[in-house]
Amino acid sequence: MPGVSRAKAMSKAGVTVAYGDGIGPEIMSATLEVLEAAGAELALETIEIGRSVYLRGNASGIEPTAWESLRRTKVFLKAPITTPQGGGYKSLNVTVRKALGLYANIRPCLSYVPFVESKHSDLDVVIVRENEEDLYGGIEHRQSVDSFQCLKIMTRPGTERLVRYGFEYARSYRRKKVSCFTKDNIMKLTDGMFHKVFEEVGAEYPEIEKEHWIVDIGAAKLADTPQAFDVVVVPNLYGDILSDIVAQIAGSVGLAGSANIGAQYAMFEAIHGSAPRRAGQNLANPSGLLLAAVQMLLHIGQREAAERMHNAWLRTLEDGIHTYDIFRDGKSRQKVGTKEFGQAVIGNLGKTPRTLKPVRYGEEMRNPRSSFPYSPPEERKLLVGVDVFVEFPGRIEDLAAALREVGGEGVALESIANRGMSVWPFGLGETLLAGPFQCRFLAKDASLGLSQRAIVDLLGSVEAGGIEFTKTELLYTFNGTEGFSRSQGA
Ligand code: NAD
């Protein structure tokens, strides 16, 4: 693999390149050849990432020196890597996304019927997935012998910039509609905030149609009738699942590229992995990385080269020159390898597709903004209670009796729940009792609120009463509205 070669020409755009593992080096070589032939003005710096770095004992799969290159260029074209099996290795993608603040994952998915098989001839959907928050914080705990938790943390600034980027993207690429998927009928605070921000930010884009779907039925509709969707903004986990589904129903996950966008940095890659079984055989389809490189060219303002490259690629698909994964007897014309596919694209530079819609990236098209000012809402926050999670092997009535004793001055036991289901004072005998009990103490007069000292004293009493607490969650109101959920069945 080439070593780090410093950018030489000042007029060229600096790009950090990583060849990755498995099929990575082959698809990267083919992509770089096409980029050069298309007239892209790039000053490449090569860094090493992935398997070899992991196996040298670097748990995050990227060398400290690689960050220097990324800081210089701010643009990363990355081939897939292989994460070695076994524990201790951290996901390189998650590390890079978080370290560089790449908060939005953009995945355009198109179908190329009749040249690539798909049930949907007019699929053209762009998934804009939140990339840093939600359950991907990876904050997990084993709370007791039989209970495990993963925290879903979503912030207003994190959501606002993602949603805003989605609308800016729609405006830049003249898309007509932005859809939002959440599960806010269940997660009223986290997904509810995402939905609310979508409505608020969306109001600033009156020319764009807006709609919200509950993610389960929305996903079903998207898989069945993708033509009803245009741009989709979505929290991290749902977006992870949805973007693979949409890429697959478009024809193949091997054809999609993605952009990871931050306020200062951006990373571009194919959506597939390193396909180790196909490595070193000149078999892999470089199209995902090639289309990621097109997104990169648009990002750095080299629109002419992007348009040439994208149209030549569409023409090559139309010509029936296909790698093994999309080759169909009777439909494709020639089965080619990675290198030959790249050469065919180069041969088509300057041509446009005849049946598929040619792309047009005019100079008048501006890139979506990715850096936005944020001002937090001004709200009065008041501490009104605490959820104390306790382990208790006995009867609920005995737990309630013990906790009613410890209720300190100004605070009283209000309810007990198990896994979000009320078990005291209302409950059903059939409810499975597993893991810690969520014991809610509320201020006797919510308008006065509580001091942090009152909470500490309360916990002291719980401990003195011989009850084992495993965690606490403070309960606040914001402008008088409860900032916590109520248990089911309460
Ligand atoms: P994969 O995407 O590598 O392969 C899945 C299937 O698709 C395989 O049958 C493969 O042969 C085929 N395929 C994938 N890309 C292709 C291409 N360009 N051309 C032709 N066929 C292609 O997924 P996997 O097998 O689950 O993962 C393999 C490795 O890749 C794992 O180590 C995983 O951690 C890693 N991975 C890396 C990234 C990344 O770096 N961004 C993403 C996903 C998986």
Side-chain angles (χ1 to χ4, degrees), residues 383-386 388 406-412 441-444 448-462 472 474:
L383 179 60
V384 295
V386 60
V388 183
V406 304
E409 211 175 294
V411 60
F441 292 87
L442 286 179
K444 287 178 185 160
L448 294 179
L450 292 169
S451 64
Q452 295 237 321
R453 186 71 247 168
I455 305 291
V456 173
D457 290 346
L458 176 71
L459 284 178
S461 309
V462 171
T472 59
L474 300 192

Side-chain angles (χ1 to χ4, degrees), residues 220-385:
K221 173 85 175 171
L222 182 57
D224 183 62
T225 322
Q227 353 17 296
F229 294 89
D230 193 346
V231 175
V232 176
V233 293
V234 62
N236 204 342
L237 178 63
Y238 313 141
D240 192 4
I241 299 164
L242 282 179
S243 52
D244 268 19
I245 292 174
V246 181
Q248 184 62 39
I249 64 171
S252 165
V253 284
L255 293 181
S258 76
N260 293 270
I261 301 289
Q264 295 168 45
Y265 294 88
M267 174 172 85
F268 302 86
E269 62 178 345
I271 69 167
H272 56 75
S274 59
R277 283 194 308 122
R278 310 288 179 193
Q281 299 159 65
N282 190 34
L283 279 174
N285 188 345
S287 296
L289 188 59
L290 225 132
L291 292 183
V294 169
Q295 289 190 66
M296 180 190 78
L297 290 178
L298 293 174
H299 178 78
I300 58 178
Q302 299 193 16
R303 301 192 168 277
E304 210 181 310
E307 190 175 301
R308 272 163 64 76
M309 189 163 155
H310 201 158
N311 280 327
W313 177 80
L314 287 167
R315 180 65 177 261
T316 308
L317 270 196
E318 276 190 3
D319 286 349
I321 300 174
H322 293 166
T323 43
Y324 83 93
D325 54 318
I326 55 169
F327 183 88
R328 298 284 175 276
D329 275 328
K331 292 208 168 155
S332 306
R333 202 161 56 82
Q334 193 186 350
K335 193 188 275 184
V336 292
T338 315
K339 197 168 174 44
E340 294 72 29
F341 183 85
Q343 291 304 317
V345 175
I346 290 171
N348 278 332
L349 286 168
K351 295 182 192 163
T352 49
R354 296 195 186 102
T355 308
L356 297 169
K357 195 169 160 228
V359 295
R360 164 114 184 78
Y361 300 126
E363 282 305 321
E364 73 286 357
M365 196 179 268
R366 62 168 180 83
N367 274 342
R369 283 188 304 146
S370 63
S371 175
F372 310 102
Y374 174 75
S375 17
E378 282 180 22
E379 286 181 290
R380 182 166 172 262
K381 178 180 158 189
L382 186 66
L383 179 60
V384 295

Side-chain angles (χ1 to χ4, degrees), residues 421-436:
M421 189 75 194
S422 173
V423 293
W424 183 91
F426 311 104
L428 294 172
E430 289 83 355
T431 301
L432 170 71
L433 302 178

